[in-house]
Amino acid sequence: MKQIIYILTFLTFGQLCFGQEKSFYVPTYGNGDTTLWFKWQQEKFEKAGLKNLTKTTDTLHFRFASETQAIDIWTTNFLTFSGTLTNFTTSYDPDAHKRNKKKEDKYFSDSKPLETKTARQVYELFIEKSILEIPPQDSIKYWTDGLDGITYFIEHSTKNSYSFKDYWTPSIFKDKVEEAKRFHELTEKLEALLNLRQSFGQFINSLPYGSYRAGGIAIITTSKKKGR
């Protein structure tokens, strides 16, 4: 189990942003510092030009993300929904890593809007599976972490609250944990609706010839031929 303490803090951003208190639920270490996952993901989202959901005033805005993709859905009235699908990655230089030579990886991202109908369908999938109501993974019996696999992140923001939660490879626990089963079913339906793997593949192949991170320890190389 992760050595992390989850805390619910109430920060009065009233005079600054919202005109009222907004509750925050973010994973933190015992020393009160936010987890690296939270920091890493926020850095990626900022570089991709995505909204900072700790500050948004949308009636509802949630983000479902992995280490390489993010699906944003938001609404101001629960009648019309908007959304985006964002792919992102960093370059990987195998020679530099072999030589243990420090080299700053380049960051790449691409964001495309979702049709209004599609954005609503995504929202309805989350409501159907009660995904936004699933508690943090550490509080769910039998759902543990591993060394490899896919970590998913959910940011959920309203005018009054914000939460950041991470979940490790729900497919492994789907047969014994009800929440993991619902989560796994969601990922399959999102794949069918948005063609997520195809979208990421097209994004990678649009980049300059080279190798790129595909989440975790996975590395993928573009299919483009190296120029002469």
Side-chain angles (χ1 to χ4, degrees):
M1 181 173 288
K2 290 175 288 187
Q3 298 300 311
I4 296 173
I5 300 174
Y6 287 87
I7 61 172
L8 180 63
T9 59
F10 291 87
L11 304 180
T12 305
F13 277 19
Q15 290 83 14
L16 298 178
C17 304
F18 301 100
Q20 58 185 334
E21 288 186 345
K22 188 178 181 80
S23 64
F24 282 69
Y25 190 85
V26 179
T28 64
Y29 292 109
N31 63 3
D33 193 17
T34 54
T35 63
L36 291 177
W37 273 131
F38 178 76
K39 292 181 178 179
W40 288 336
Q41 290 299 105
Q42 297 308 310
E43 288 173 0
K44 291 179 183 178
F45 300 151
E46 182 179 2
K47 289 178 180 178
L50 299 180
K51 281 186 178 181
N52 182 334
L53 297 195
T54 67
K55 299 179 180 180
T56 182
T57 57
D58 293 328
T59 304
L60 170 69
H61 191 141
F62 63 87
R63 177 176 296 143
F64 178 82
S66 65
E67 295 177 63
T68 57
Q69 289 182 311
I71 302 167
D72 279 66
I73 301 295
W74 66 91
T75 183
T76 57
N77 54 21
F78 288 98
L79 298 175
T80 302
F81 290 82
S82 301
T84 57
L85 171 58
T86 304
N87 291 288
F88 42 84
T89 188
T90 54
S91 60
Y92 175 81
D93 185 342
D95 292 331
H97 285 270
K98 287 178 182 177
R99 297 192 304 268
N100 197 26
K101 182 179 179 181
K102 290 185 178 181
K103 182 178 180 180
E104 185 175 353
D105 295 331
K106 294 182 179 179
Y107 178 86
F108 301 87
S109 67
D110 179 68
S111 185
K112 289 183 170 54
L114 299 178
E115 294 183 358
T116 301
K117 177 182 177 181
T118 304
R120 174 178 278 279
Q121 287 176 304
V122 174
Y123 165 77
E124 290 174 348
L125 284 176
F126 273 75
I127 298 303
E128 174 190 339
K129 300 295 181 182
S130 300
I131 299 299
L132 299 177
E133 299 172 14
I134 294 179
Q137 178 197 305
D138 275 12
S139 65
I140 301 175
K141 191 175 182 180
Y142 303 123
W143 196 341
T144 58
D145 280 332
L147 298 177
D148 199 0
I150 302 176
T151 301
Y152 293 100
F153 310 91
I154 294 183
E155 287 186 88
H156 177 205
S157 183
T158 68
K159 290 186 176 181
N160 301 319
S161 65
Y162 168 84
S163 66
F164 176 94
K165 302 173 186 175
D166 57 275
Y167 302 90
W168 185 76
T169 317
S171 59
I172 291 180
F173 305 96
K174 61 183 176 63
D175 294 328
K176 60 180 179 180
V177 179
E178 173 59 29
E179 293 89 347
K181 177 183 178 181
R182 283 160 35 204
F183 210 112
H184 174 66
E185 291 173 347
L186 171 75
T187 61
E188 290 192 319
K189 290 189 175 184
L190 287 175
E191 171 60 40
L193 179 63
L194 301 176
N195 296 313
L196 297 177
R197 282 188 287 270
Q198 180 182 1
S199 174
F200 184 71
Q202 291 174 341
F203 164 65
I204 288 293
N205 286 322
S206 72
L207 301 178
Y209 179 85
S211 297
Y212 300 88
R213 298 187 182 278
I217 62 174
I219 303 297
I220 188 170
T221 301
T222 61
S223 61
K224 292 180 178 180
K225 297 296 182 181
K226 190 172 183 179
R228 295 182 179 179

